[in-house]
Amino acid sequence: MKFIGNPLLFPEYFTMHVKSLSLSFLLLLFFRALLGTTIHIPLNYPSIQAGINASSSGDTVLVAPGTYAESVTLSHKVVLASWYINAGDDSYISTTTIDAGGADFGISIPQSASDGSSIIGFSIKNADDGIRPYRRFNLLHCHLSGTADGVDYSTGSGGLCQFNIFENNSDDGVDLDGKVDIVIADNIIRNNGNDGIEIRLHAYSGSNVLNCVITRNNIYNNTGDGIQLIDYNNPEITNRKFFISYNYIHDNVQAGLGCMGNANTDENYEGASIEEGIHLFNNTFDHNAYGLTGGDNLVALNNIFANSTNAAVRRVDGNSVVAYSLFYNNGVNNDNSNVDDNSTILGDPSFGPNLQLQAGSPAIDAGIAQYTWQSNVVLNLAAGDYSGTAPDRGAYEFYTSTGLLPKILSASNVQFFPNPFREKFSVKIDHTKSTRMSVRVINAMGQTIFSGKNYPVNEAVEINADEWASGYYYFLFTTDDGFTFQLKAKKS
């Protein structure tokens, strides 16, 4: 299957932090960049905290498998990682555990620390907050369970939260309080005791725009809402922007996306008139009590709302619009909301396994690529950002040419040499249906460190890598007719 996360939906932030990631990056195998000194736990120090205390800014604290009964404070910028960062083996996540034993936190990043730490490849459990950050950091490939909040972001924090599992926490999977600028992408958020993601819109000083990007997540079986936004009735509208796209939000006990007012987190389906801008594009809502409630400046495009026990959309009014939706088998499709009936489809979306569209679904090629609302261009997709004649509705993009996603080249079609490589490498893709290809290279932080387009297919292409650090790299090759190939290679 394929999620498409298009940077044009939120260019200034998405380009800076995620840059056109897709679900295929769940196959990502991180390499360990040579960032300062590497301190090995327990080889060099018996505990994680002792290793952090001995480290300097920019060092890597590399933790061997085992259970570490401690709470950890990151007092300065470090890469805190399990052996997953070298091997890309998920077993190192489940076997490298920080067990806080009921303490206030598993990992803390205090205000006195610096921005830019990374936490990669741990299981974190048995704490009030699995992670309690006050500075921006990267949280990657971790499993947070058995806490109150999996991660409790506070003012000054945020960063990149990607490829994690948040489950079986007694309160929220992900909690945002105050002034938080964040990308939440490609996570599984399930079976939590309250909301999957809870966001409190506290007032804040300064003119900073706070971007909250929630994309390509699977959010389900939470006892509260899948995503909940809580208004604080601030005297002025806060300068927040919400971009919620390509998520599966399903089987949550309360709302898929619920807007609450008056600092109230106890869901009553009021459909609060939140005035901050919300872009809700290409999500699949299925089997929630309500699909979407509230929002006074919300633009919902290309979404599927199916099997809502009560209303699919409730009190999405004011300056909001719900357009190019597909409604199916809801208690009520529209409860006092601004729904564009002319672009609405009423019909069975024809879900297959994992809520993917099957051949013949009315959602295929039925979305909109460009959309202007109140004189503002809110959606502007290029033809290469979707397959078929138009985007599909919902989170799943179906390849109409084959009915299968993704279209993957065989290893016999790709020659990559040498591997390991040093100053340069060559790649040749044999593929008679295409003439050009793009190349993207990802580093340990999930960042694109190289991107190139319009390379010829069916002849060797040489790429210079002399300035890259030693370690493992993840490569994504895409031909101009939509075929992909992924591999891991090492620079020695």
Side-chain angles (χ1 to χ4, degrees), residues 190-213:
R190 65 190 178 195
N191 303 324
N192 296 290
N194 195 359
D195 303 318
I197 301 173
E198 181 181 285
I199 305 170
R200 294 178 181 268
L201 279 65
H202 298 101
Y204 65 89
S205 60
S207 60
N208 296 43
V209 176
L210 297 183
N211 293 281
C212 181
V213 177

Side-chain angles (χ1 to χ4, degrees), residues 144-150 165-174 188-197 219-226 252-253:
L144 295 99
S145 64
T147 72
D149 291 333
I165 298 175
F166 300 89
E167 65 178 346
N168 299 321
N169 300 290
S170 62
D171 196 1
D172 306 317
V174 180
I188 296 172
I189 306 173
R190 65 190 178 195
N191 303 324
N192 296 290
N194 195 359
D195 303 318
I197 301 173
I219 306 171
Y220 65 98
N221 283 350
N222 297 289
T223 303
D225 296 339
N252 298 288
V253 173

Side-chain angles (χ1 to χ4, degrees), residues 64-66 82-84 87-97 121-123:
S82 73
W83 287 5
Y84 176 87
D89 184 342
D90 286 348
S91 68
Y92 288 125
I93 301 173
S94 61
T95 58
T96 312
T97 300
F122 290 93
S123 288

Side-chain angles (χ1 to χ4, degrees), residues 429-448:
I429 291 181
D430 297 317
H431 184 52
T432 57
K433 296 181 180 180
S434 178
T435 60
R436 315 300 292 179
M437 70 172 175
S438 64
V439 180
R440 188 177 298 278
V441 185
I442 312 298
N443 73 4
M445 302 301 104
Q447 299 165 329
T448 298

Side-chain angles (χ1 to χ4, degrees), residues 113-126:
S114 302
D115 289 336
S117 286
S118 294
I119 301 169
I120 304 171
F122 290 93
S123 288
I124 302 168
K125 62 182 183 179
N126 292 338

Side-chain angles (χ1 to χ4, degrees), residues 295-374:
D296 267 17
N297 281 290
L298 186 151
V299 180
L301 303 172
N302 298 341
N303 298 288
I304 294 175
F305 298 95
N307 301 302
S308 304
T309 306
N310 297 294
V313 293
R314 168 174 165 76
R315 294 194 64 188
V316 186
D317 50 22
N319 294 317
S320 299
V321 64
V322 180
Y324 291 88
S325 304
L326 185 150
F327 293 116
Y328 174 69
N329 196 36
N330 301 294
V332 175
N333 290 330
N334 180 3
D335 180 359
N336 294 299
S337 298
N338 298 337
V339 174
D340 177 11
D341 293 331
N342 292 329
S343 64
T344 294
I345 293 175
L346 304 177
D348 187 344
S350 186
F351 289 140
N354 302 317
L355 299 179
Q356 300 169 19
L357 302 179
Q358 299 186 99
S361 168
I364 295 172
D365 292 349
I368 187 72
Q370 290 84 34
Y371 194 85
T372 299
W373 179 244
Q374 296 183 338

Side-chain angles (χ1 to χ4, degrees), residues 9 243-247 278-283 299-303 378-379 394:
L9 302 185
F243 305 97
I244 303 172
S245 62
Y246 302 96
N247 300 285
I278 303 170
H279 287 181
L280 186 71
F281 301 158
N282 280 96
N283 301 278
V299 180
L301 303 172
N302 298 341
N303 298 288
V378 296
L379 180 63

